[in-house]
Amino acid sequence: MECKVDKQLGSRFLLEFLVNVTGYDEPIMLSEHVFWPKDTDSLCYPKGLQWKRNAKIALVITLRNQGRWMVHFLNNLEEMYTVTKDENVRLVIFDYNSSDINLEHELALRNLPPRTVISQQAEHYSRTKSFNRAVEQVHDPQTIVFTLDLHLDLPTTLFDDIRKVSN
């Protein structure tokens, strides 16, 4: 449970429950925003604050000679994608001519979301320029763009976590 208190209006909660359902191997996550108006005894749904469970997400990565960390990230992403089977996630990679990884080979080895790879032959790496070029590949203005570093260990709940805080 997360709580945001507004002393004038009331309190907003994000409630999450893991529910075991007969016939399912895994528990099901229920997540809802609710509002408790000040000076009342009832909860209600806040207008315009329900999160969009199927919002598209573009995971944006930049890469230059970080092959070991890219393999770590791809293994982590494959695990997340296999568990969630989320069809609304896309991977965008901007590679500045990495010489320590065969990126296409590593991508082909794994079950990953759809992806776009941009390769740049440039002498000087610019993280800012590479992120900008990668984000330009996201054409839908409703898509949530999420940039991240390769060395992180990502939870399988990441996609829903992104959607919950991005509405």
Side-chain angles (χ1 to χ4, degrees), residues 79-140:
E79 179 183 337
M80 292 168 35
Y81 190 63
T82 301
V83 168
T84 65
K85 298 173 182 48
D86 196 320
E87 296 179 2
N88 293 306
V89 174
R90 181 173 155 220
L91 178 60
V92 181
I93 303 169
F94 193 97
D95 179 24
Y96 255 80
N97 197 26
S98 293
S99 60
D100 65 341
I101 186 173
N102 181 336
L103 185 57
E104 290 300 328
H105 174 73
E106 292 295 334
L107 292 169
L109 291 175
R110 293 168 179 79
N111 178 29
L112 297 169
R115 58 200 165 265
T116 301
V117 178
I118 307 144
S119 296
Q120 175 85 29
Q121 301 283 338
E123 290 182 28
H124 302 290
Y125 172 71
S126 169
R127 187 170 168 95
T128 303
K129 286 181 183 178
S130 61
F131 271 123
N132 287 338
R133 287 277 314 278
V135 170
E136 288 173 358
Q137 304 304 307
V138 181
H139 302 292
D140 180 357

Side-chain angles (χ1 to χ4, degrees), residues 17-162:
F17 302 94
L18 275 176
V19 179
N20 290 319
V21 178
T22 304
Y24 286 86
D25 294 335
E26 298 290 324
I28 296 174
M29 172 72 76
L30 299 176
S31 300
E32 292 294 335
H33 287 280
V34 293
F35 185 69
W36 187 2
K38 187 176 178 177
D39 300 326
T40 68
D41 292 333
S42 60
L43 294 174
C44 61
Y45 291 111
K47 187 174 183 175
L49 198 57
Q50 299 307 308
W51 60 287
K52 188 174 179 185
R53 288 167 173 76
N54 62 350
K56 293 178 185 173
I57 299 172
L59 300 174
V60 176
I61 295 292
T62 64
L63 177 66
R64 180 163 191 202
N65 291 332
Q66 294 177 298
R68 185 174 130 243
W69 287 114
M70 187 63 179
V71 168
H72 169 80
F73 169 76
L74 292 174
N75 289 337
N76 198 184
L77 180 60
E78 180 179 33
E79 179 183 337
M80 292 168 35
Y81 190 63
T82 301
V83 168
T84 65
K85 298 173 182 48
D86 196 320
E87 296 179 2
N88 293 306
V89 174
R90 181 173 155 220
L91 178 60
V92 181
I93 303 169
F94 193 97
D95 179 24
Y96 255 80
N97 197 26
S98 293
S99 60
D100 65 341
I101 186 173
N102 181 336
L103 185 57
E104 290 300 328
H105 174 73
E106 292 295 334
L107 292 169
L109 291 175
R110 293 168 179 79
N111 178 29
L112 297 169
R115 58 200 165 265
T116 301
V117 178
I118 307 144
S119 296
Q120 175 85 29
Q121 301 283 338
E123 290 182 28
H124 302 290
Y125 172 71
S126 169
R127 187 170 168 95
T128 303
K129 286 181 183 178
S130 61
F131 271 123
N132 287 338
R133 287 277 314 278
V135 170
E136 288 173 358
Q137 304 304 307
V138 181
H139 302 292
D140 180 357
Q142 299 299 313
T143 297
I144 300 167
V145 175
F146 189 77
T147 62
L148 62 156
D149 289 327
L150 299 172
H151 67 280
L152 301 173
D153 288 321
L154 306 171
T156 56
T157 60
L158 179 68
F159 303 145
D160 282 344
D161 292 344
I162 292 168

